[in-house]
Amino acid sequence: MKRLVILQLLFVVLLLTGTLLAEQDNGRIIMDFNHDWLFEQDDWVGLNNASHWDWKDSHWIKIQTPHSYNADDSFDNVRWYYRGYAWYRKHFTVPAEHKGRRIFICFGAISNQSEIWVNEQYMGKFNSGFTPIEIDVTDVLNWDSENLISVRVNNIHNDEIPPGRWRMDYNVYGGIYREVTIESLSDVYLEKYDLFATTPVVNEKESVINTAVKVSNTSQEYRTILVRTTVLDGAQEKSVSEQSITIPPELTRAVSNLESIVKNVKLWSPDQPNLYLLNVELFENNQLIDQLKTKIGFRSFEFTANKGLLFNGKPLKTKGINRHQCYPGLANAVPKRLQVQDAVILKDLGVNFVRCSHYPQHPDFLNACDSLGILVYEEPVSWQHIGGREFMENMDYMFDAMLRRDRNHPSIILWGLMNEGRSAEMFKLLQATADRLDSTRPTCYAENHIKEALEQGTAFIPDILALNYKIEAYDELHKNYPELILISSECTNPDKTYIGDYTSEMKSFASVKQDLDLIESKSYLPGACIWGFHDYGSEYKPVWPIQTSGVVDYYRRYKEPAWYIKARWSKEPFVHIAGTWDNDKSPGEPVNVNVWHNGDKVDLYLNGKKIQSSKEKECEWNVPFEPGKLKAVAKQGREQVEHVLITPGDPAAIQLTALSNEMFADGYDAIPVTAQLVDADGNPVHVNGVEIAFESTNGGKIIGIGGAKSAESADGSAVVLVQSTGKSGNITVTAKAKALKGSCEIISR
């Protein structure tokens, strides 16, 4: 229980903070636009134009965004998920006090292809899928009456729109799956995605920050503007830079020499992720008319060909893993809470490096990586496919958008060009974009066929060559091309690892251990990057319907390899006994007991008697079974931690636990609730296949796989999500299985 409490406290702190701070700054007003959308999913509607005012939408489903229309048809045992058209419409008004300002509607992302109309005016076609879409609607708004926005979405396979491959390893879910806002700006404003802060000089005594911005003047007059940047450490001003500029009518002007010195700097690193606030303000006649804020960090790093990664001048071993973004019952429409929670779990496991596979991920996840100190390798959407010239241009457009959105995150240290594919023509195109938009970070791409990369020359185009699997070939590659900088982008893909199936979990542990031992022995590599973090929905035939190679399952329950990684990588004192100590064994029967820890020594006790002791970090002992209490105690200096397994009795109750006892009453927040079978003494009972039914009252919606309100137990627990319906109050969640039941309370507000 202590482990869960620590995770919950860390999560709450992060949920209340973030990198993008802009709900309502002076001059720039951001309004929630997620409520009261109407939705219709049907190919015949998609092929018609439902953007007209007179289109009847009274029968359409009322939804909130983020929303995916694959939430109920993925992760289940019915083959194929819907890949077709859908429409979203929203009737809205804009308050009269915003008249005369610039009004933008901003979508976090729409997957995978979309077209947008406002008041029947066509605003464009967008193929970005994973990066923001922002449209200036100022000139098409009705100020004295209702407005209508219509969005046609499809996630149909297209060879020329990345990822472009049919039947991929991961699903391309459709929908307006990230948050939507309206931004109200002055007629002179900062271009959000042209704000770029660099730190050309970094050291603790004195660092330099240089901020580049673009300012747009949409008025018909020359405007004289003061641009001011301020670096803050809490409430303390650390540096200020300002410049006065005059902008002609209907033009945008770049300002790139806003440089200042910051003294007595606290550097950003995975162990000490010190963040500062950069505040960029626009003033006209001493009045603040716009501002943008972003968190920044001062750090330096260098990937080398022979010594791995140097971070702030010191060697750093990367402890990495690959992360997708989906959840059962939500598909890719995952709210902030669960985006942040994934980063919290990664930190708990001791991970300090994450690859965003294989697409740009949610800003809230990246914000959490900034705050927690998790290094990030981010890449545009891709998977083993390269089309023609149109495909390459689309990739470049997406790559450009990714860099503009994310280049101020101190956690990001690598830009990936793609995953498991190679094209000299496309890589040169993307490399030129990286050089133009951000020369402070190296590029790489993930290669799974070294011979082809060398023959085609693609290995030498990016700054770094990232390698997927085939670890046995790395030494020869390094010997023959000692100038190449190499990193691990994927290792260990243990398919068919199921929580509650101890045999498969231990096979996965053995695979993870083998690869980590091998990769971490190579001094020229920074470290390993495991595949993958969590199980995810997939229509790829070898693994359908769920790719189960994650070290945690799709609800983020830890499998045995996760506990092993934590023992190996975490700096906090930790010990774990693998498996269970259940009565499925006979008295005296030899039991293989694995204990993992990060202390100086570990002792193993059975029913109060010490039976084993070792200074090894990974212990494997043969212990005759005796019902009762098996306890491992690890000591690290004066600290000690323990892990206990108890032989349980028959299931007597259900213990219900929510990730948090508070929920935002916003209509889309979601909280995992775990039903654990326990015996009469409250000990976990590790039973698979028990059907547990869930119910909720007063503003909570139960979401299970395929829309079900029940789930089968795995290792004695079953999980569903409880999602906000927008109603405030106390939500009671109950779980029942035969004669067993349990309940918990969640406050929605």
Side-chain angles (χ1 to χ4, degrees), residues 199-404:
T199 51
V201 178
V202 174
N203 62 64
E204 292 176 290
K205 184 178 180 181
E206 188 174 275
S207 294
V208 174
I209 181 169
N210 192 312
T211 305
V213 296
K214 286 185 179 179
V215 184
S216 287
N217 175 12
T218 62
S219 75
Q220 302 299 313
E221 301 173 350
Y222 280 85
R223 306 286 283 272
T224 298
I225 304 295
L226 178 70
V227 185
R228 176 184 295 163
T229 66
T230 308
V231 176
L232 296 121
D233 181 8
Q236 181 185 7
E237 282 190 2
K238 299 293 290 185
S239 72
V240 177
S241 177
E242 57 185 35
Q243 183 179 151
S244 181
I245 61 172
T246 299
I247 313 175
E250 298 184 329
L251 283 179
T252 298
R253 181 171 172 186
V255 183
S256 59
N257 56 346
L258 291 160
E259 187 172 278
S260 60
I261 295 173
V262 183
K263 295 184 177 181
N264 301 317
V265 171
K266 293 177 286 187
L267 299 183
W268 187 97
S269 70
D271 289 337
Q272 294 184 309
N274 297 304
L275 292 171
Y276 292 81
L277 179 67
L278 174 64
N279 188 14
V280 183
E281 300 168 297
L282 288 189
F283 292 89
E284 184 176 33
N285 299 323
N286 294 320
Q287 181 179 354
L288 180 64
I289 61 171
D290 195 15
Q291 68 177 335
L292 291 171
K293 297 179 181 180
T294 186
K295 293 288 183 70
I296 59 168
F298 293 90
R299 80 284 186 272
S300 64
F301 62 92
E302 179 188 5
F303 287 92
T304 71
N306 294 301
K307 296 181 180 180
L309 174 63
L310 300 177
F311 205 91
N312 292 333
K314 300 176 182 179
L316 176 69
K317 281 295 183 183
T318 54
K319 303 168 183 178
I321 204 160
N322 285 258
R323 188 243 184 189
H324 273 299
Q325 65 176 10
C326 57
Y327 236 96
L330 297 172
N332 55 355
V334 180
K336 177 175 182 174
R337 177 184 301 276
L338 300 181
Q339 300 284 352
V340 172
Q341 183 65 20
D342 273 4
V344 171
I345 293 171
L346 291 173
K347 192 68 175 181
D348 180 63
L349 293 178
V351 169
N352 67 4
F353 178 67
V354 63
R355 178 178 175 216
C356 296
S357 49
H358 301 290
Y359 39 77
Q361 297 188 7
H362 198 292
D364 286 326
F365 176 73
L366 298 177
N367 294 342
C369 289
D370 291 338
S371 298
L372 289 168
I374 301 173
L375 304 174
V376 176
Y377 160 3
E378 189 175 39
E379 63 194 4
V381 61
S382 58
W383 200 71
Q384 298 184 350
H385 172 84
I386 298 173
R389 185 65 191 177
E390 182 184 350
F391 179 94
M392 296 181 188
E393 290 174 354
N394 280 325
M395 276 287 282
D396 189 47
Y397 172 81
M398 296 179 184
F399 189 63
D400 180 296
M402 179 181 78
L403 267 62
R404 289 180 186 277

Side-chain angles (χ1 to χ4, degrees), residues 64 77 102 106-107 127 188 219 229 273-274 372 376 439 546 746:
Q64 316 276 23
N77 289 316
R102 305 306 297 184
C106 306
F107 297 87
N127 297 327
V188 179
S219 75
T229 66
N274 297 304
L372 289 168
V376 176
S439 60
I546 300 171
I746 299 172

Side-chain angles (χ1 to χ4, degrees), residues 474-699:
Y474 294 1
D475 285 349
E476 183 179 1
L477 176 64
H478 177 60
K479 179 182 177 181
N480 293 336
Y481 299 90
E483 74 284 359
L484 273 180
I485 301 174
L486 306 175
I487 65 168
S488 166
S489 43
E490 289 182 35
C491 68
T492 315
N493 191 345
D495 293 339
K496 299 180 174 58
T497 304
Y498 303 103
I499 193 165
D501 178 354
Y502 184 64
T503 300
S504 71
E505 290 185 64
M506 291 305 289
K507 284 182 179 179
S508 176
F509 144 70
S511 181
V512 168
K513 171 179 166 51
Q514 174 181 287
D515 283 2
L516 291 184
D517 286 347
L518 191 56
I519 289 177
E520 291 178 358
S521 70
K522 302 181 187 302
S523 60
Y524 58 86
L525 291 176
C529 195
I530 295 168
W531 188 271
F533 173 41
H534 62 82
D535 296 345
Y536 54 93
S538 176
E539 287 291 345
Y540 192 44
K541 190 174 182 180
V543 299
W544 168 83
I546 300 171
Q547 168 57 280
T548 57
S549 58
V551 300
V552 301
D553 82 338
Y554 40 79
Y555 283 118
R556 284 48 169 182
R557 289 175 291 185
Y558 289 23
K559 303 178 190 177
E560 292 298 351
W563 296 120
Y564 170 70
I565 289 168
K566 180 169 181 174
R568 182 166 181 147
W569 282 351
S570 176
K571 294 182 179 180
E572 295 298 318
F574 180 72
V575 64
H576 177 76
I577 308 171
T580 66
W581 199 244
D582 288 0
N583 257 327
D584 54 351
K585 311 163 186 70
S586 302
E589 176 186 343
V591 178
N592 199 48
V593 174
N594 285 268
V595 177
W596 309 314
H597 71 103
N598 59 5
D600 302 317
K601 65 170 291 190
V602 64
D603 299 319
L604 186 68
Y605 298 83
L606 180 56
N607 291 327
K609 180 181 178 182
K610 184 192 291 189
I611 57 173
Q612 297 287 352
S613 184
S614 177
K615 293 183 178 180
E616 297 294 322
K617 304 294 185 185
E618 301 160 14
C619 305
E620 186 175 349
W621 291 307
N622 198 275
V623 179
F625 179 72
E626 178 184 307
K629 180 187 291 187
L630 187 68
K631 179 172 73 172
V633 179
K635 297 179 180 178
Q636 190 179 79
R638 295 183 178 181
E639 292 188 77
Q640 74 174 38
V641 289
E642 64 180 47
H643 184 214
V644 175
L645 299 181
I646 295 177
T647 307
D650 294 331
I654 297 174
Q655 188 178 79
L656 217 56
T657 307
L659 174 67
S660 171
N661 62 4
E662 292 190 8
M663 173 184 286
F664 298 118
D666 55 14
Y668 45 87
D669 191 15
I671 293 178
V673 174
T674 302
Q676 174 68 56
L677 298 170
V678 296
D679 66 11
D681 295 321
N683 300 311
V685 181
H686 310 97
V687 181
N688 295 332
V690 175
E691 188 78 12
I692 299 179
F694 295 81
E695 294 181 357
S696 66
T697 63
N698 197 36

